[in-house]
Amino acid sequence: GRNNLLTSETSSSKSESEQISDFNAKWDFMLNCLKEFHREHGHVSPAAKLVYKGSNLGNWVHVQRRYFVARQQGLFADSLRMTDERIALLNEVGFLWDLKKPTQSEINEGTNWGAFYQLLKEYRLEHGRVSQTVNLVYKGKNLGHWLSTQRNFFQAQQQGILADSLRMTGKRIALLNEIGVLWDLKKQTVSYTNEGSKWDTMFHLLKDYATKHNHTCLSFREKYKGANLGRWVKTQRVNYSLRQKGQSSKHMADERI
């Protein structure tokens, strides 16, 4: 019964109703932690051992997946640990349920991947950067949710827990890097697959900096959103100077000028 279901996580000295109340309160608290993590990092795939604001969020996420799979397999006598309501609440933040195979929703998003990518490019062209708003709706599409899902896939892949590579291929990573997607908003993490994608990302960071500060005269050691933007600006000036002197122009093409 429910008492047997909860004894592994709550004190057996408490009554069944007290155990259920504690379990529900803890679950709600951890969901709010996950929502905060989502807003800060842009994804809901924390590392398994991650402690977030004093709570074992990474382990909790892992346990929710285990509960979901057990429920799907009919292993629970009741659905207290993973209710329909909880599934819906976790779906709202783009929870990655199955690491072995994609859900139907993920398959649909994968089929429309190119269309969402083009929409993201349009957004960047219009606004000058890739949105960091996880709930963004753009031209009637849940673009923020889609981008959050891409970060989920990337993070799971980096942790070695995504069984298939179809949901986040090297080509897709490269395409998202080209337009300056940050894989972790809190850490301002960018994954570079080549020099070109790194240049594009730094260029868009510089545009963002110029919009906020009305200049591009950074000090050499100045950092912006975790990137060594001052050093990069200095390097561009050096490359331009070398080109003007007739030396190698590999790193300063006409398009970049």
Side-chain angles (χ1 to χ4, degrees), residues 9 20 23 32 34-35 48-49 59 90 98 131-132 148-149 209 240 255:
E9 299 185 18
I20 292 172
F23 182 83
N32 285 326
L34 185 64
K35 286 181 176 180
K49 295 182 179 180
N59 181 67
L90 288 168
D98 197 330
S131 172
Q132 297 182 15
S148 177
T149 298
Y209 179 95
Y240 178 78
E255 181 185 0

Side-chain angles (χ1 to χ4, degrees), residues 11 43 89 160 173-174 178 183 185 199 218 221 245:
S11 171
H43 67 87
L89 288 169
I173 292 172
E178 283 179 8
W183 297 107
L185 302 183
W199 195 95
L218 292 82
R221 297 182 182 277
K245 294 175 183 178

Side-chain angles (χ1 to χ4, degrees), residues 147-193:
L147 187 51
S148 177
T149 298
Q150 306 314 301
R151 293 192 186 101
N152 283 339
F153 291 160
F154 177 82
Q155 295 294 335
Q157 185 189 74
Q158 294 298 298
Q159 295 166 32
I161 59 176
L162 194 64
D164 65 84
S165 60
L166 297 178
R167 286 181 274 184
M168 182 50 65
T169 64
K171 182 178 179 181
R172 287 180 177 179
I173 292 172
L175 287 169
L176 292 167
N177 281 333
E178 283 179 8
I179 57 175
V181 166
L182 296 173
W183 297 107
D184 191 303
L185 302 183
K186 183 72 171 181
K187 299 177 183 177
Q188 299 292 328
T189 304
V190 179
S191 175
Y192 303 127
T193 55

Side-chain angles (χ1 to χ4, degrees), residues 12 39 160 244:
S12 59
R39 284 191 292 269
Q244 294 298 92

